[in-house]
């Protein structure tokens, strides 16, 4: 069996005092036209970097949030799909819960640097707006509303909850 080459990533479920979640708007170019995906801020773990160090770096770069403590690991996602991430056979996303006061996201990255990572905006979403969304944009994970509702209602799980695509 061939080795599967997965991109290891970390993501922050940034929830404000009103349980709104901060999501990045990714515009992914495709031959048939761009796909818009709303996903938690975060990104790849670099060689020699711990997951939490990567999370701190990504949050500072993308949204300008500094962590003062290690957030709890709440979700684990593995997607095996050679078309999902360019240059990889899929991705592993580890999600961490970050509670904070609402803020205007503006990180260290310039608009051009964000665009190079396919990010073209940020939005605070309420759970009902995600659950009731019927447009063409996608969420990551696709059924974000279900595990997010469980997280908001039940708090930090005893171990990371496995997620699908």
């Amino acid at each position: 069996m061939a080795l599967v080459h997965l991109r290891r990533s970390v993501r922050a479920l940034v929830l404000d005092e009103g349980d709104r979640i901060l999501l990045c708007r990714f515009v992914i170019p495709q031959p048939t036209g761009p796909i818009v995906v709303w996903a938690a801020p975060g990104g790849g773990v670099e060689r020699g970097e711990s997951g939490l160090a990567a999370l701190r770096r990504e949050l500072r770069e993308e949204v300008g949030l500094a962590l003062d403590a290690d957030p709890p690991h709440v979700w684990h996602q593995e997607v095996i799909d050679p078309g999902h991430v360019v240059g990889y056979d899929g991705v592993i996303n580890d999600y961490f819960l970050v509670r904070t006061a609402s803020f205007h996201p503006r990180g260290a990255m310039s608009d051009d640097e964000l665009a190079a990572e396919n990010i073209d905006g940020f939005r605070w979403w309420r759970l009902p707006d995600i659950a009731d969304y019927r447009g063409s944009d996608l969420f990551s994970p696709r059924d974000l509303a279900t595990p997010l509702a469980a997280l908001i209602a039940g708090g930090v799980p005893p171990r990371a909850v496995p997620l699908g695509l």
Side-chain angles (χ1 to χ4, degrees), residues 5-36:
H5 184 51
L6 301 177
R7 180 176 190 252
R8 187 165 162 249
S9 297
V10 289
R11 303 223 163 262
L13 301 169
V14 180
L15 295 179
D16 73 3
E17 60 278 350
D19 285 333
R20 295 182 310 160
I21 185 170
L22 179 63
L23 297 177
C24 302
R25 183 177 189 264
F26 288 87
V27 180
I28 314 296
Q30 298 289 318
T32 56
I35 296 173
V36 175

PDB file of all heavy atoms in Angstrom, residues 5-36:
ATOM      1  N   HIS A   5       0.104  10.894   2.060  1.00  0.00           N
ATOM      2  CA  HIS A   5       0.764  12.134   2.459  1.00  0.00           C
ATOM      3  C   HIS A   5      -0.306  13.157   2.851  1.00  0.00           C
ATOM      4  O   HIS A   5      -1.001  13.701   1.998  1.00  0.00           O
ATOM      5  CB  HIS A   5       1.606  12.640   1.275  1.00  0.00           C
ATOM      6  CG  HIS A   5       2.411  13.862   1.574  1.00  0.00           C
ATOM      7  ND1 HIS A   5       3.248  13.979   2.664  1.00  0.00           N
ATOM      8  CD2 HIS A   5       2.506  15.036   0.903  1.00  0.00           C
ATOM      9  CE1 HIS A   5       3.816  15.176   2.647  1.00  0.00           C
ATOM     10  NE2 HIS A   5       3.381  15.834   1.592  1.00  0.00           N
ATOM     11  N   LEU A   6      -0.464  13.370   4.175  1.00  0.00           N
ATOM     12  CA  LEU A   6      -1.500  14.261   4.685  1.00  0.00           C
ATOM     13  C   LEU A   6      -0.899  15.574   5.186  1.00  0.00           C
ATOM     14  O   LEU A   6       0.182  15.587   5.767  1.00  0.00           O
ATOM     15  CB  LEU A   6      -2.262  13.590   5.832  1.00  0.00           C
ATOM     16  CG  LEU A   6      -2.959  12.275   5.492  1.00  0.00           C
ATOM     17  CD1 LEU A   6      -3.604  11.674   6.727  1.00  0.00           C
ATOM     18  CD2 LEU A   6      -3.985  12.482   4.395  1.00  0.00           C
ATOM     19  N   ARG A   7      -1.622  16.659   4.964  1.00  0.00           N
ATOM     20  CA  ARG A   7      -1.218  17.961   5.489  1.00  0.00           C
ATOM     21  C   ARG A   7      -1.741  18.073   6.911  1.00  0.00           C
ATOM     22  O   ARG A   7      -2.938  17.934   7.153  1.00  0.00           O
ATOM     23  CB  ARG A   7      -1.802  19.086   4.630  1.00  0.00           C
ATOM     24  CG  ARG A   7      -1.419  20.477   5.125  1.00  0.00           C
ATOM     25  CD  ARG A   7      -1.944  21.547   4.163  1.00  0.00           C
ATOM     26  NE  ARG A   7      -1.405  22.840   4.471  1.00  0.00           N
ATOM     27  CZ  ARG A   7      -2.101  23.830   5.015  1.00  0.00           C
ATOM     28  NH1 ARG A   7      -3.372  23.663   5.314  1.00  0.00           N
ATOM     29  NH2 ARG A   7      -1.536  24.996   5.257  1.00  0.00           N
ATOM     30  N   ARG A   8      -0.852  18.305   7.865  1.00  0.00           N
ATOM     31  CA  ARG A   8      -1.254  18.462   9.265  1.00  0.00           C
ATOM     32  C   ARG A   8      -1.529  19.929   9.536  1.00  0.00           C
ATOM     33  O   ARG A   8      -0.681  20.783   9.306  1.00  0.00           O
ATOM     34  CB  ARG A   8      -0.148  17.943  10.189  1.00  0.00           C
ATOM     35  CG  ARG A   8      -0.581  17.922  11.629  1.00  0.00           C
ATOM     36  CD  ARG A   8       0.335  17.080  12.499  1.00  0.00           C
ATOM     37  NE  ARG A   8       0.081  17.472  13.860  1.00  0.00           N
ATOM     38  CZ  ARG A   8       0.945  18.132  14.621  1.00  0.00           C
ATOM     39  NH1 ARG A   8       2.136  18.431  14.185  1.00  0.00           N
ATOM     40  NH2 ARG A   8       0.620  18.471  15.853  1.00  0.00           N
ATOM     41  N   SER A   9      -2.735  20.219   9.993  1.00  0.00           N
ATOM     42  CA  SER A   9      -3.159  21.591  10.233  1.00  0.00           C
ATOM     43  C   SER A   9      -3.818  21.721  11.600  1.00  0.00           C
ATOM     44  O   SER A   9      -4.283  20.731  12.174  1.00  0.00           O
ATOM     45  CB  SER A   9      -4.169  22.037   9.164  1.00  0.00           C
ATOM     46  OG  SER A   9      -3.592  22.032   7.894  1.00  0.00           O
ATOM     47  N   VAL A  10      -3.848  22.949  12.079  1.00  0.00           N
ATOM     48  CA  VAL A  10      -4.537  23.286  13.328  1.00  0.00           C
ATOM     49  C   VAL A  10      -5.518  24.406  13.038  1.00  0.00           C
ATOM     50  O   VAL A  10      -5.270  25.260  12.187  1.00  0.00           O
ATOM     51  CB  VAL A  10      -3.551  23.695  14.436  1.00  0.00           C
ATOM     52  CG1 VAL A  10      -2.754  22.502  14.925  1.00  0.00           C
ATOM     53  CG2 VAL A  10      -2.625  24.804  13.976  1.00  0.00           C
ATOM     54  N   ARG A  11      -6.640  24.402  13.736  1.00  0.00           N
ATOM     55  CA  ARG A  11      -7.662  25.427  13.535  1.00  0.00           C
ATOM     56  C   ARG A  11      -8.210  25.836  14.898  1.00  0.00           C
ATOM     57  O   ARG A  11      -8.269  25.034  15.825  1.00  0.00           O
ATOM     58  CB  ARG A  11      -8.791  24.894  12.656  1.00  0.00           C
ATOM     59  CG  ARG A  11      -8.279  24.403  11.319  1.00  0.00           C
ATOM     60  CD  ARG A  11      -9.140  24.813  10.157  1.00  0.00           C
ATOM     61  NE  ARG A  11      -8.425  24.675   8.913  1.00  0.00           N
ATOM     62  CZ  ARG A  11      -7.819  25.667   8.273  1.00  0.00           C
ATOM     63  NH1 ARG A  11      -7.859  26.888   8.755  1.00  0.00           N
ATOM     64  NH2 ARG A  11      -7.188  25.465   7.145  1.00  0.00           N
ATOM     65  N   ALA A  12      -8.614  27.105  14.984  1.00  0.00           N
ATOM     66  CA  ALA A  12      -9.163  27.639  16.230  1.00  0.00           C
ATOM     67  C   ALA A  12     -10.656  27.896  16.070  1.00  0.00           C
ATOM     68  O   ALA A  12     -11.075  28.600  15.149  1.00  0.00           O
ATOM     69  CB  ALA A  12      -8.458  28.932  16.614  1.00  0.00           C
ATOM     70  N   LEU A  13     -11.436  27.316  16.949  1.00  0.00           N
ATOM     71  CA  LEU A  13     -12.859  27.625  17.038  1.00  0.00           C
ATOM     72  C   LEU A  13     -12.950  28.828  17.975  1.00  0.00           C
ATOM     73  O   LEU A  13     -12.980  28.683  19.197  1.00  0.00           O
ATOM     74  CB  LEU A  13     -13.640  26.430  17.590  1.00  0.00           C
ATOM     75  CG  LEU A  13     -13.514  25.155  16.748  1.00  0.00           C
ATOM     76  CD1 LEU A  13     -14.075  23.968  17.499  1.00  0.00           C
ATOM     77  CD2 LEU A  13     -14.192  25.342  15.405  1.00  0.00           C
ATOM     78  N   VAL A  14     -12.912  30.016  17.381  1.00  0.00           N
ATOM     79  CA  VAL A  14     -12.897  31.257  18.156  1.00  0.00           C
ATOM     80  C   VAL A  14     -14.344  31.653  18.428  1.00  0.00           C
ATOM     81  O   VAL A  14     -15.079  32.016  17.510  1.00  0.00           O
ATOM     82  CB  VAL A  14     -12.156  32.382  17.395  1.00  0.00           C
ATOM     83  CG1 VAL A  14     -12.151  33.659  18.222  1.00  0.00           C
ATOM     84  CG2 VAL A  14     -10.730  31.951  17.047  1.00  0.00           C
ATOM     85  N   LEU A  15     -14.756  31.540  19.700  1.00  0.00           N
ATOM     86  CA  LEU A  15     -16.119  31.885  20.103  1.00  0.00           C
ATOM     87  C   LEU A  15     -16.091  33.118  20.989  1.00  0.00           C
ATOM     88  O   LEU A  15     -15.311  33.193  21.936  1.00  0.00           O
ATOM     89  CB  LEU A  15     -16.772  30.733  20.870  1.00  0.00           C
ATOM     90  CG  LEU A  15     -17.022  29.435  20.105  1.00  0.00           C
ATOM     91  CD1 LEU A  15     -17.639  28.399  21.024  1.00  0.00           C
ATOM     92  CD2 LEU A  15     -17.895  29.678  18.900  1.00  0.00           C
ATOM     93  N   ASP A  16     -16.977  34.073  20.665  1.00  0.00           N
ATOM     94  CA  ASP A  16     -17.048  35.285  21.481  1.00  0.00           C
ATOM     95  C   ASP A  16     -18.063  35.109  22.615  1.00  0.00           C
ATOM     96  O   ASP A  16     -18.643  34.028  22.799  1.00  0.00           O
ATOM     97  CB  ASP A  16     -17.325  36.522  20.612  1.00  0.00           C
ATOM     98  CG  ASP A  16     -18.753  36.613  20.086  1.00  0.00           C
ATOM     99  OD1 ASP A  16     -19.610  35.753  20.407  1.00  0.00           O
ATOM    100  OD2 ASP A  16     -19.023  37.569  19.329  1.00  0.00           O
ATOM    101  N   GLU A  17     -18.297  36.203  23.356  1.00  0.00           N
ATOM    102  CA  GLU A  17     -19.185  36.128  24.528  1.00  0.00           C
ATOM    103  C   GLU A  17     -20.628  35.813  24.151  1.00  0.00           C
ATOM    104  O   GLU A  17     -21.407  35.367  24.996  1.00  0.00           O
ATOM    105  CB  GLU A  17     -19.104  37.441  25.325  1.00  0.00           C
ATOM    106  CG  GLU A  17     -19.513  38.690  24.554  1.00  0.00           C
ATOM    107  CD  GLU A  17     -18.422  39.292  23.663  1.00  0.00           C
ATOM    108  OE1 GLU A  17     -17.252  38.876  23.761  1.00  0.00           O
ATOM    109  OE2 GLU A  17     -18.754  40.181  22.855  1.00  0.00           O
ATOM    110  N   GLY A  18     -21.000  35.984  22.903  1.00  0.00           N
ATOM    111  CA  GLY A  18     -22.351  35.644  22.437  1.00  0.00           C
ATOM    112  C   GLY A  18     -22.411  34.308  21.722  1.00  0.00           C
ATOM    113  O   GLY A  18     -23.398  34.015  21.037  1.00  0.00           O
ATOM    114  N   ASP A  19     -21.356  33.497  21.865  1.00  0.00           N
ATOM    115  CA  ASP A  19     -21.236  32.195  21.198  1.00  0.00           C
ATOM    116  C   ASP A  19     -21.233  32.313  19.675  1.00  0.00           C
ATOM    117  O   ASP A  19     -21.581  31.372  18.967  1.00  0.00           O
ATOM    118  CB  ASP A  19     -22.314  31.201  21.652  1.00  0.00           C
ATOM    119  CG  ASP A  19     -22.039  30.649  23.034  1.00  0.00           C
ATOM    120  OD1 ASP A  19     -20.852  30.594  23.434  1.00  0.00           O
ATOM    121  OD2 ASP A  19     -23.005  30.273  23.721  1.00  0.00           O
ATOM    122  N   ARG A  20     -20.829  33.479  19.161  1.00  0.00           N
ATOM    123  CA  ARG A  20     -20.621  33.596  17.714  1.00  0.00           C
ATOM    124  C   ARG A  20     -19.241  33.039  17.397  1.00  0.00           C
ATOM    125  O   ARG A  20     -18.306  33.185  18.189  1.00  0.00           O
ATOM    126  CB  ARG A  20     -20.692  35.058  17.259  1.00  0.00           C
ATOM    127  CG  ARG A  20     -22.055  35.693  17.429  1.00  0.00           C
ATOM    128  CD  ARG A  20     -22.088  37.123  16.909  1.00  0.00           C
ATOM    129  NE  ARG A  20     -20.963  37.896  17.443  1.00  0.00           N
ATOM    130  CZ  ARG A  20     -20.492  39.022  16.902  1.00  0.00           C
ATOM    131  NH1 ARG A  20     -21.029  39.516  15.803  1.00  0.00           N
ATOM    132  NH2 ARG A  20     -19.491  39.667  17.464  1.00  0.00           N
ATOM    133  N   ILE A  21     -19.112  32.405  16.225  1.00  0.00           N
ATOM    134  CA  ILE A  21     -17.843  31.823  15.804  1.00  0.00           C
ATOM    135  C   ILE A  21     -17.236  32.661  14.687  1.00  0.00           C
ATOM    136  O   ILE A  21     -17.940  33.097  13.770  1.00  0.00           O
ATOM    137  CB  ILE A  21     -18.015  30.348  15.371  1.00  0.00           C
ATOM    138  CG1 ILE A  21     -16.658  29.715  15.055  1.00  0.00           C
ATOM    139  CG2 ILE A  21     -18.988  30.225  14.198  1.00  0.00           C
ATOM    140  CD1 ILE A  21     -16.712  28.210  14.850  1.00  0.00           C
ATOM    141  N   LEU A  22     -15.942  32.891  14.783  1.00  0.00           N
ATOM    142  CA  LEU A  22     -15.225  33.636  13.761  1.00  0.00           C
ATOM    143  C   LEU A  22     -14.762  32.676  12.672  1.00  0.00           C
ATOM    144  O   LEU A  22     -14.050  31.711  12.960  1.00  0.00           O
ATOM    145  CB  LEU A  22     -14.010  34.351  14.375  1.00  0.00           C
ATOM    146  CG  LEU A  22     -13.151  35.156  13.398  1.00  0.00           C
ATOM    147  CD1 LEU A  22     -13.956  36.300  12.772  1.00  0.00           C
ATOM    148  CD2 LEU A  22     -11.913  35.687  14.107  1.00  0.00           C
ATOM    149  N   LEU A  23     -15.178  32.937  11.431  1.00  0.00           N
ATOM    150  CA  LEU A  23     -14.779  32.097  10.311  1.00  0.00           C
ATOM    151  C   LEU A  23     -14.103  32.935   9.233  1.00  0.00           C
ATOM    152  O   LEU A  23     -14.420  34.110   9.041  1.00  0.00           O
ATOM    153  CB  LEU A  23     -15.994  31.379   9.705  1.00  0.00           C
ATOM    154  CG  LEU A  23     -16.730  30.408  10.627  1.00  0.00           C
ATOM    155  CD1 LEU A  23     -17.953  29.827   9.928  1.00  0.00           C
ATOM    156  CD2 LEU A  23     -15.800  29.302  11.124  1.00  0.00           C
ATOM    157  N   CYS A  24     -13.164  32.302   8.540  1.00  0.00           N
ATOM    158  CA  CYS A  24     -12.470  32.901   7.400  1.00  0.00           C
ATOM    159  C   CYS A  24     -13.210  32.502   6.134  1.00  0.00           C
ATOM    160  O   CYS A  24     -13.650  31.355   5.995  1.00  0.00           O
ATOM    161  CB  CYS A  24     -11.043  32.365   7.285  1.00  0.00           C
ATOM    162  SG  CYS A  24     -10.003  32.601   8.717  1.00  0.00           S
ATOM    163  N   ARG A  25     -13.311  33.445   5.209  1.00  0.00           N
ATOM    164  CA  ARG A  25     -13.929  33.164   3.903  1.00  0.00           C
ATOM    165  C   ARG A  25     -12.812  32.819   2.922  1.00  0.00           C
ATOM    166  O   ARG A  25     -12.006  33.681   2.564  1.00  0.00           O
ATOM    167  CB  ARG A  25     -14.717  34.372   3.415  1.00  0.00           C
ATOM    168  CG  ARG A  25     -15.445  34.139   2.107  1.00  0.00           C
ATOM    169  CD  ARG A  25     -16.274  35.383   1.743  1.00  0.00           C
ATOM    170  NE  ARG A  25     -17.137  35.128   0.611  1.00  0.00           N
ATOM    171  CZ  ARG A  25     -16.826  35.441  -0.653  1.00  0.00           C
ATOM    172  NH1 ARG A  25     -15.665  36.020  -0.926  1.00  0.00           N
ATOM    173  NH2 ARG A  25     -17.676  35.183  -1.631  1.00  0.00           N
ATOM    174  N   PHE A  26     -12.756  31.542   2.548  1.00  0.00           N
ATOM    175  CA  PHE A  26     -11.778  31.068   1.579  1.00  0.00           C
ATOM    176  C   PHE A  26     -12.445  30.998   0.209  1.00  0.00           C
ATOM    177  O   PHE A  26     -13.537  30.436   0.077  1.00  0.00           O
ATOM    178  CB  PHE A  26     -11.274  29.663   1.947  1.00  0.00           C
ATOM    179  CG  PHE A  26     -10.371  29.638   3.141  1.00  0.00           C
ATOM    180  CD1 PHE A  26     -10.894  29.538   4.427  1.00  0.00           C
ATOM    181  CD2 PHE A  26      -8.993  29.699   2.991  1.00  0.00           C
ATOM    182  CE1 PHE A  26     -10.061  29.508   5.535  1.00  0.00           C
ATOM    183  CE2 PHE A  26      -8.157  29.670   4.094  1.00  0.00           C
ATOM    184  CZ  PHE A  26      -8.692  29.572   5.364  1.00  0.00           C
ATOM    185  N   VAL A  27     -11.791  31.569  -0.788  1.00  0.00           N
ATOM    186  CA  VAL A  27     -12.259  31.466  -2.168  1.00  0.00           C
ATOM    187  C   VAL A  27     -11.249  30.579  -2.891  1.00  0.00           C
ATOM    188  O   VAL A  27     -10.115  30.989  -3.141  1.00  0.00           O
ATOM    189  CB  VAL A  27     -12.382  32.848  -2.837  1.00  0.00           C
ATOM    190  CG1 VAL A  27     -12.868  32.696  -4.274  1.00  0.00           C
ATOM    191  CG2 VAL A  27     -13.331  33.745  -2.043  1.00  0.00           C
ATOM    192  N   ILE A  28     -11.675  29.343  -3.176  1.00  0.00           N
ATOM    193  CA  ILE A  28     -10.795  28.327  -3.747  1.00  0.00           C
ATOM    194  C   ILE A  28     -10.995  28.285  -5.262  1.00  0.00           C
ATOM    195  O   ILE A  28     -12.085  27.934  -5.729  1.00  0.00           O
ATOM    196  CB  ILE A  28     -11.097  26.927  -3.155  1.00  0.00           C
ATOM    197  CG1 ILE A  28     -11.231  26.991  -1.627  1.00  0.00           C
ATOM    198  CG2 ILE A  28     -10.061  25.912  -3.615  1.00  0.00           C
ATOM    199  CD1 ILE A  28     -10.006  27.380  -0.881  1.00  0.00           C
ATOM    200  N   PRO A  29      -9.957  28.628  -6.045  1.00  0.00           N
ATOM    201  CA  PRO A  29     -10.118  28.582  -7.499  1.00  0.00           C
ATOM    202  C   PRO A  29     -10.279  27.142  -7.985  1.00  0.00           C
ATOM    203  O   PRO A  29      -9.588  26.245  -7.512  1.00  0.00           O
ATOM    204  CB  PRO A  29      -8.823  29.204  -8.029  1.00  0.00           C
ATOM    205  CG  PRO A  29      -7.896  29.373  -6.879  1.00  0.00           C
ATOM    206  CD  PRO A  29      -8.629  29.054  -5.621  1.00  0.00           C
ATOM    207  N   GLN A  30     -11.200  26.951  -8.891  1.00  0.00           N
ATOM    208  CA  GLN A  30     -11.452  25.647  -9.511  1.00  0.00           C
ATOM    209  C   GLN A  30     -11.648  25.870 -11.004  1.00  0.00           C
ATOM    210  O   GLN A  30     -12.096  26.943 -11.411  1.00  0.00           O
ATOM    211  CB  GLN A  30     -12.723  25.008  -8.922  1.00  0.00           C
ATOM    212  CG  GLN A  30     -12.679  24.711  -7.443  1.00  0.00           C
ATOM    213  CD  GLN A  30     -11.755  23.565  -7.112  1.00  0.00           C
ATOM    214  OE1 GLN A  30     -11.725  22.559  -7.794  1.00  0.00           O
ATOM    215  NE2 GLN A  30     -10.969  23.734  -6.065  1.00  0.00           N
ATOM    216  N   PRO A  31     -11.382  24.851 -11.825  1.00  0.00           N
ATOM    217  CA  PRO A  31     -11.580  25.011 -13.270  1.00  0.00           C
ATOM    218  C   PRO A  31     -13.014  25.407 -13.636  1.00  0.00           C
ATOM    219  O   PRO A  31     -13.242  26.123 -14.602  1.00  0.00           O
ATOM    220  CB  PRO A  31     -11.237  23.638 -13.837  1.00  0.00           C
ATOM    221  CG  PRO A  31     -10.391  22.973 -12.803  1.00  0.00           C
ATOM    222  CD  PRO A  31     -10.802  23.559 -11.486  1.00  0.00           C
ATOM    223  N   THR A  32     -13.978  24.977 -12.838  1.00  0.00           N
ATOM    224  CA  THR A  32     -15.392  25.269 -13.119  1.00  0.00           C
ATOM    225  C   THR A  32     -15.868  26.560 -12.462  1.00  0.00           C
ATOM    226  O   THR A  32     -17.034  26.903 -12.563  1.00  0.00           O
ATOM    227  CB  THR A  32     -16.277  24.107 -12.638  1.00  0.00           C
ATOM    228  OG1 THR A  32     -16.006  23.900 -11.244  1.00  0.00           O
ATOM    229  CG2 THR A  32     -15.986  22.838 -13.405  1.00  0.00           C
ATOM    230  N   GLY A  33     -14.975  27.250 -11.781  1.00  0.00           N
ATOM    231  CA  GLY A  33     -15.333  28.475 -11.073  1.00  0.00           C
ATOM    232  C   GLY A  33     -14.989  28.342  -9.604  1.00  0.00           C
ATOM    233  O   GLY A  33     -14.890  27.228  -9.085  1.00  0.00           O
ATOM    234  N   PRO A  34     -14.806  29.467  -8.924  1.00  0.00           N
ATOM    235  CA  PRO A  34     -14.369  29.416  -7.523  1.00  0.00           C
ATOM    236  C   PRO A  34     -15.419  28.806  -6.598  1.00  0.00           C
ATOM    237  O   PRO A  34     -16.615  28.917  -6.836  1.00  0.00           O
ATOM    238  CB  PRO A  34     -14.109  30.869  -7.167  1.00  0.00           C
ATOM    239  CG  PRO A  34     -14.853  31.672  -8.171  1.00  0.00           C
ATOM    240  CD  PRO A  34     -14.989  30.831  -9.399  1.00  0.00           C
ATOM    241  N   ILE A  35     -14.919  28.153  -5.546  1.00  0.00           N
ATOM    242  CA  ILE A  35     -15.757  27.610  -4.477  1.00  0.00           C
ATOM    243  C   ILE A  35     -15.459  28.436  -3.231  1.00  0.00           C
ATOM    244  O   ILE A  35     -14.303  28.706  -2.921  1.00  0.00           O
ATOM    245  CB  ILE A  35     -15.426  26.124  -4.209  1.00  0.00           C
ATOM    246  CG1 ILE A  35     -15.749  25.278  -5.429  1.00  0.00           C
ATOM    247  CG2 ILE A  35     -16.174  25.619  -2.981  1.00  0.00           C
ATOM    248  CD1 ILE A  35     -15.301  23.836  -5.289  1.00  0.00           C
ATOM    249  N   VAL A  36     -16.517  28.847  -2.525  1.00  0.00           N
ATOM    250  CA  VAL A  36     -16.346  29.596  -1.285  1.00  0.00           C
ATOM    251  C   VAL A  36     -16.568  28.650  -0.110  1.00  0.00           C
ATOM    252  O   VAL A  36     -17.580  27.946  -0.050  1.00  0.00           O
ATOM    253  CB  VAL A  36     -17.326  30.789  -1.216  1.00  0.00           C
ATOM    254  CG1 VAL A  36     -17.225  31.479   0.142  1.00  0.00           C
ATOM    255  CG2 VAL A  36     -17.042  31.771  -2.342  1.00  0.00           C
TER     256      VAL A  36
END
